[in-house]
Amino acid sequence: MTSQVSSPAEQADGAVVGEQRKAAGVKDVRRLERVIIRFAGDSGDGMQLTGDRFTSETASFGNDLSTLPNFPAEIRAPAGTLPGVSSFQLHFADHDILTPGDAPNVLVAMNPAALKANIGDLPRGAEIIVNTDEFTKRAMQKVGYAASPLEDGSLDGYQLHPVPLTTLTVEALKEFDLSRKEAERSKNMFALGLLSWMYHRPTEGTEKFLRSKFAKKPDIAAANIAAFRAGWNFGETTEDFAVSYEVAPATKAFPVGTYRNISGNLALAYGLVAASRQADLPLYLGSYPITPASDILHELSKHKNFGVRTFQAEDEIAGIGAALGAAFGGSLAVTTTSGPGVALKSETIGLAVSLELPLLIVDIQRGGPSTGLPTKTEQADLLQAMYGRNGEAPVPVVAPRTPADCFDAALDAARIALTYRTPVFLLSDGYLANGSEPWRIPETAELPDLTVRFAQGPNHTLADGTEVFWPYKRDARTLARPWAVPGTPGLEHRIGGIEKQDGTGNISYDPANHDFMVRTRQAKIDGIEVPDVEVDDPDGARTLVLGWGSTYGPVTAAVRRLRTEGVAIAQAHLRHLNPFPKNLGTVLRGYDKVVIPEMNLGQLATLVRAKYLVDAHSYNQVNGMPFKAEQLATALKEAIDG
């Protein structure tokens, strides 16, 4: 942990004040610039809820923050085992931060498995709070501890706080009419109360949340609040915690505005609703539940009052089929999924390319192949999004870079789909979807105008003077075809997957027409207007690090570290992966070295090398976890020196 540095005289004065406070029974309070906390326990211990509540209070306090939830794929993994450990990491600070942090300063371990699974990530001197009640002989043997790590000296390099969390929770709830098992379930709230005391977090929001969550079970709500308060009081009164900490609000990190904490999936859902309002179109989601995309379906189902219609289909194919039908009917149509679902949807995506209708395919990427790692993150669907269809079927690809940026990326993807009449891939991933950060709520006036003009009447005159409607007569600038809502008099036209004749839309097997239509569809995608890529290069570097998607935070943090050490390095980050920004080739050729970090085996690097003939160097990781800033800083330094 980092703290402010004081002079020897100030330290001496501080020591005197500290002794006076101690004599008066008042505990010391230390100011920190940032803290990284990790809550870890069984998947049934409520670690995600605990972390989420601590995060919410930290956001309301005004700190900048970044989170990393990490949980098993099983609904209830085997209790007390290493594969069953669920954790939630939170990095919060009084300044701008970009990642959930490389190594926790504080680990809350609810059982031996949680300790063993996470101890390797802790730096020496870190604080460890353990629930001693769970360190039974059987529980320790289950994860391979021959002797108790709390007693064998293996934790001597850390600040160990043994706390009987379960016993203290049960004791605090003895006045409630609860069984011991029911009372034990509140131990995560006791831990949350203790940590809230340690870091001076607000408490009102958590108590209000608990009353709301258990509104139909007021006794359970009261018990959880009592456990939460007992944890706070324990920190205040026990001698084991002699110091509490303050992390001031990050007043200089944010522009003026109204902020809230938001996850990537929630931001994306809000972005889709905002896009439908800005386009004045109903929003239709055809989806099949799949981790880690299901939260978008859950959230959008709550917003019928904004003209949102959600359809939980029987499978992935039905979900996108319904969405494409809604697009034909004049809705802003969306389908959400992850990598395995994209594979199933590929034929209908090709149909959307042929029909030239707007459709958003939201792919929250996860580890693959096949079912892979459902709850872990990866960036390995890029080539699937680019080429995973039969025939020449080009589709634009947009990728957000942070949880909050998912809102803007959704608006951008909708802009492209509606303007150019094309399906669009929106590539998020599990790290962005489940992670969270502060988000400035935009004013309505800041949102783009996405208004759509549907076809209203004939658009072509035949040689004999007859006015007709041609469904494939194109806009001269965008090459988009007209969007005709079914039922509009005089706009009847053919639709289907067989090749269309240019202009008329009639079925055509003519070779020359097919060649023309294939090239025209490609030209439409190539001509999509996207902003130039911006390069951050204050020192005239000779090495450029190029990223995309969720690598933005770790890459930017690594670049900051290197520049602090006096190393010159440039950075650029891509939102638009198809088409690439028009200036990208010029940017890449302006550097001696280009390094592309990706959570795959080099998919963007493959595209860059093929298109621009630039000898881009890959730095790859596919372990289901995001990059660490220190890891990337070391790799980039080696690339510069190599």
Side-chain angles (χ1 to χ4, degrees):
M1 291 178 284
T2 308
S3 59
Q4 294 181 333
V5 178
S6 56
S7 68
E10 290 171 331
Q11 292 174 2
D13 290 341
V16 173
V17 172
E19 289 300 322
Q20 293 173 342
R21 290 170 60 87
K22 185 175 181 180
V26 180
K27 297 188 177 185
D28 285 343
V29 178
R30 296 178 187 172
R31 174 68 63 87
L32 305 176
E33 294 176 357
R34 64 185 184 93
V35 177
I36 304 168
I37 298 174
R38 183 181 296 176
F39 298 94
D42 269 337
S43 56
D45 282 340
M47 294 296 94
Q48 303 305 317
L49 174 62
T50 305
D52 182 68
R53 289 313 313 159
F54 195 93
T55 298
S56 295
E57 298 296 359
T58 296
S60 68
F61 188 72
N63 296 119
D64 195 11
L65 62 88
S66 180
T67 67
L68 177 62
N70 185 18
F71 42 87
E74 294 85 355
I75 294 175
R76 184 67 173 93
T81 64
L82 294 176
V85 173
S86 174
S87 68
F88 188 105
Q89 183 163 306
L90 165 67
H91 182 191
F92 61 102
D94 64 2
H95 58 277
D96 175 36
I97 57 173
L98 297 156
T99 74
D102 288 357
N105 307 121
V106 181
L107 171 66
V108 180
M110 302 298 281
N111 61 17
L115 177 64
K116 188 161 190 177
N118 293 281
I119 190 67
D121 293 337
L122 268 63
R124 307 299 282 182
E127 292 192 76
I128 303 175
I129 301 171
V130 295
N131 180 13
T132 55
D133 289 327
E134 295 296 324
F135 278 72
T136 63
K137 184 176 181 180
R138 184 172 181 273
M140 289 187 290
Q141 288 177 342
K142 188 179 291 188
V143 295
Y145 280 128
S148 172
L150 309 183
E151 301 171 355
D152 65 4
S154 60
L155 301 179
D156 287 351
Y158 306 95
Q159 300 180 52
L160 180 64
H161 301 283
V163 180
L165 288 173
T166 305
T167 300
L168 291 171
T169 302
V170 172
E171 178 65 20
L173 303 184
K174 63 182 181 180
E175 65 184 68
F176 293 87
D177 186 21
L178 299 174
S179 67
R180 180 178 177 86
K181 186 175 182 179
E182 289 174 327
E184 288 178 0
R185 290 174 182 163
S186 297
K187 62 180 181 290
N188 63 324
M189 288 297 104
F190 189 100
L192 177 60
L194 173 57
L195 269 293
S196 297
W197 171 83
M198 284 182 66
Y199 292 97
H200 294 234
R201 299 297 91 184
T203 61
E204 295 81 3
T206 293
E207 294 193 10
K208 182 179 179 181
F209 167 82
L210 291 170
R211 291 190 185 96
S212 174
K213 181 177 177 64
F214 299 107
K216 296 181 179 180
K217 298 180 179 180
D219 290 345
I220 299 298
N224 277 280
I225 292 171
F228 176 67
R229 291 175 176 173
W232 176 284
N233 293 332
F234 177 77
E236 182 72 24
T237 57
T238 183
E239 295 182 1
D240 192 40
F241 293 90
V243 178
S244 64
Y245 305 94
E246 285 185 349
V247 180
T251 53
K252 297 180 180 179
F254 307 118
V256 175
T258 303
Y259 287 79
R260 61 156 294 167
N261 184 52
I262 201 164
S263 68
N265 273 353
L266 184 57
L268 203 154
Y270 286 174
L272 294 174
V273 175
S276 75
R277 295 296 82 207
Q278 294 303 106
D280 196 23
L281 297 175
L283 178 65
Y284 184 94
L285 174 68
S287 182
Y288 180 75
I290 184 172
T291 302
S294 299
D295 286 342
I296 302 172
L297 169 61
H298 300 160
E299 181 61 33
L300 289 179
S301 68
K302 303 174 184 177
H303 298 292
K304 297 179 180 64
N305 56 317
F306 287 111
V308 178
R309 180 172 295 176
T310 54
F311 169 55
Q312 181 175 321
E314 65 268 29
D315 55 39
E316 295 281 6
I317 299 171
I320 190 173
L324 185 55
F328 178 59
S331 293
L332 175 58
V334 185
T335 188
T336 53
T337 189
S338 189
V342 173
L344 292 167
K345 296 178 189 290
S346 61
E347 182 179 5
T348 307
I349 297 171
L351 176 59
V353 171
S354 177
L355 300 181
E356 299 189 46
L357 286 171
L359 173 67
L360 299 184
I361 305 108
V362 178
D363 177 7
I364 312 297
Q365 301 168 94
R366 72 189 203 189
S370 187
T371 310
L373 304 174
T375 60
K376 309 302 179 184
T377 194
E378 208 163 271
Q379 286 183 298
D381 293 350
L382 176 56
L383 294 183
Q384 179 178 223
M386 287 285 294
Y387 303 121
R389 294 163 295 283
N390 65 297
E392 295 288 344
V395 175
V397 180
V398 177
R401 64 185 188 179
T402 69
D405 188 49
C406 289
F407 178 87
D408 295 317
L411 284 164
D412 199 14
R415 170 190 70 86
I416 293 172
L418 296 171
T419 302
Y420 296 90
R421 310 287 198 267
T422 177
V424 177
F425 262 103
L426 183 55
L427 289 185
S428 179
D429 61 41
Y431 172 37
L432 296 183
N434 297 319
S436 63
E437 66 176 349
W439 171 57
R440 186 181 72 84
I441 302 173
E443 299 294 334
T444 305
E446 300 174 41
L447 302 179
D449 181 3
L450 302 178
T451 305
V452 173
R453 293 184 61 185
F454 291 109
Q456 298 298 322
N459 62 357
H460 184 75
T461 304
L462 298 177
D464 63 1
T466 304
E467 292 187 339
V468 297
F469 175 68
W470 275 14
Y472 281 85
K473 187 168 185 175
R474 301 180 181 279
D475 180 274
R477 180 180 68 86
T478 65
L479 298 181
R481 77 173 187 89
W483 194 1
V485 176
T488 306
L491 302 190
E492 297 84 359
H493 59 282
R494 295 177 182 273
I495 197 165
I498 297 178
E499 185 64 278
K500 306 296 184 294
Q501 184 182 52
D502 177 42
T504 69
N506 295 329
I507 291 175
S508 173
Y509 294 98
D510 179 64
N513 178 77
H514 177 60
D515 183 273
F516 178 81
M517 293 294 279
V518 167
R519 294 181 186 276
T520 300
R521 287 189 289 262
Q522 184 64 58
K524 181 175 69 172
I525 304 307
D526 292 341
I528 291 173
E529 295 179 1
V530 302
D532 283 349
V533 63
E534 297 181 358
V535 182
D536 176 21
D537 184 7
D539 304 311
R542 303 313 310 155
T543 298
L544 171 72
V545 54
L546 178 68
W548 72 276
S550 67
T551 61
Y552 173 78
V555 168
T556 305
V559 166
R560 287 182 180 179
R561 293 189 186 196
L562 290 176
R563 288 177 181 169
T564 300
E565 298 170 6
V567 178
I569 186 167
Q571 179 186 2
H573 202 81
L574 295 175
R575 167 179 282 178
H576 298 95
L577 299 158
N578 191 33
F580 285 132
K582 290 182 170 55
N583 69 330
L584 181 58
T586 302
V587 167
L588 295 174
R589 286 187 283 270
Y591 291 89
D592 296 339
K593 293 181 181 178
V594 177
V595 182
I596 303 179
E598 299 181 77
M599 293 187 294
N600 57 47
L601 294 183
Q603 297 188 16
L604 175 60
T606 296
L607 296 174
V608 165
R609 290 168 68 95
K611 185 172 180 64
Y612 300 108
L613 302 181
V614 171
D615 187 20
H617 301 272
S618 286
Y619 181 74
N620 309 115
Q621 173 177 295
V622 281
N623 62 6
M625 298 295 289
F627 285 112
K628 294 181 178 180
E630 185 62 35
Q631 164 196 3
L632 277 180
T634 301
L636 294 174
K637 183 66 164 57
E638 291 174 352
I640 293 171
D641 296 340

